[in-house]
Amino acid sequence: MNLVWQERFKLRTYDVDFNNKMKVSTLFNFMQEAASNSANTQGFGYDDMVAKQLYWVISRAKIEFSSFPVLDEEIIIETWPRTTDKLYAIRDFIIYHQDMTEIARATTSWLMINGASMRPQRLNSSQITFAILEEKIAVETLCEKLELNKENKTETINTVKIGYNDIDINQHVSNVKYVELIFNAYPIELLKKKQISKFEINFMTESKHDDVLTIKRAEEVNSNATSFYFEAYNQNDKQVVMAIGV
């Protein structure tokens, strides 16, 4: 079985930003679709999982960008199940322009959730089996738990109430919506002048309809680059998501 799935996506008007560059949230959408289609061909896709009261949730993601495609460009996403790491299933991605020059490389960590208990399941259970391709690596280091430097003071940027358009097929806020919320909290002038070179995100707690999220931001400046840290908390003051953009 060929474990490397390849899929093409064309960038439409709603996939690019005011710089005519692909949005980071667009790439998350495409990666989600490619991952889903890849899993379907390998026997652990949505229907296979639902039949066993299981489903996949993305827990962590790290993307390193080389360039950004533009409107009407067709891009190629390559993805495969790379390995396992404790409770996490690791899936890697390489994203290309049509001429096969690289756009980005990404690694993601997924949890297998029991639909009845809503708790993570061990990947070595007999319920689901899948092959891995350990010799092919997109990003050398796996995703890690993100932590905010306590010396960096955060400020509240937005407060958002979760609505109908924010909820996915699993009845909670999708990873793409969280990425959109994060980028809505970015300094707009910075996004007009600078492209993101690296983006990492941790998804910690699910959000549902009518939840209220508070988005906070901190800035860290060093000799190499300026990094922005983002945190989202729900109405119970529970941390929902954290991200870093460079």
Side-chain angles (χ1 to χ4, degrees), residues 199-229:
F199 183 73
E200 295 184 65
I201 190 166
N202 288 179
F203 306 96
M204 278 89 85
T205 305
E206 68 175 356
S207 298
K208 296 189 175 183
H209 190 268
D210 281 344
D211 280 356
V212 177
L213 303 185
T214 299
I215 317 298
K216 298 183 178 183
R217 184 182 75 207
E219 182 177 355
E220 181 175 282
V221 180
N222 57 45
S223 58
N224 296 320
T226 299
S227 301
F228 286 92
Y229 292 74

Side-chain angles (χ1 to χ4, degrees), residues 28 57-63 88 107-109 111 142-148 174-175 178-179 182 199-207 229-233 239-245:
F28 269 83
V57 296
I58 186 170
S59 179
R60 299 171 181 174
K62 175 166 58 177
I63 308 178
Y88 296 105
T107 187
T108 55
S109 304
L111 291 170
L142 300 180
C143 298
E144 299 173 330
K145 181 181 179 180
L146 300 178
E147 293 184 359
L148 177 68
S174 71
N175 65 83
Y178 284 123
V179 175
I182 294 301
F199 183 73
E200 295 184 65
I201 190 166
N202 288 179
F203 306 96
M204 278 89 85
T205 305
E206 68 175 356
S207 298
Y229 292 74
F230 301 89
E231 297 177 297
Y233 291 84
Q239 191 177 39
V240 174
V241 68
M242 182 172 183
I244 302 175

Side-chain angles (χ1 to χ4, degrees), residues 139-224:
V139 178
E140 193 66 35
T141 57
L142 300 180
C143 298
E144 299 173 330
K145 181 181 179 180
L146 300 178
E147 293 184 359
L148 177 68
N149 185 338
K150 298 303 181 183
E151 295 180 0
N152 296 330
K153 185 178 179 181
T154 61
E155 60 175 325
T156 297
I157 304 298
N158 291 324
T159 301
V160 180
K161 186 174 183 179
I162 300 304
Y164 165 80
N165 285 320
D166 303 315
I167 305 299
D168 67 10
I169 196 170
N170 292 323
Q171 306 297 313
H172 57 211
V173 175
S174 71
N175 65 83
V176 177
K177 287 297 179 181
Y178 284 123
V179 175
E180 290 177 352
L181 291 176
I182 294 301
F183 276 84
N184 281 342
Y186 248 98
I188 191 69
E189 293 304 319
L190 182 138
L191 292 177
K192 288 179 179 179
K193 296 184 293 185
K194 181 181 179 296
Q195 292 292 338
I196 300 298
S197 61
K198 184 178 179 181
F199 183 73
E200 295 184 65
I201 190 166
N202 288 179
F203 306 96
M204 278 89 85
T205 305
E206 68 175 356
S207 298
K208 296 189 175 183
H209 190 268
D210 281 344
D211 280 356
V212 177
L213 303 185
T214 299
I215 317 298
K216 298 183 178 183
R217 184 182 75 207
E219 182 177 355
E220 181 175 282
V221 180
N222 57 45
S223 58
N224 296 320

Side-chain angles (χ1 to χ4, degrees), residues 34-35 38-39 42 44 79-82 89-93 106-108 110:
S38 169
Q42 294 164 23
F44 52 92
T79 184
W80 62 96
R82 168 176 163 183
I90 310 302
R91 173 173 287 275
D92 277 10
F93 300 79
T107 187
T108 55
W110 301 71

Side-chain angles (χ1 to χ4, degrees), residues 22 34 53 55 64 88 90 114 116 121 151 158 195 217 233 238 246:
M22 178 186 67
Q53 284 193 298
Y55 61 94
E64 298 173 354
Y88 296 105
I90 310 302
N114 183 295
Q121 300 295 289
E151 295 180 0
N158 291 324
Q195 292 292 338
R217 184 182 75 207
Y233 291 84
K238 190 169 186 179
V246 181

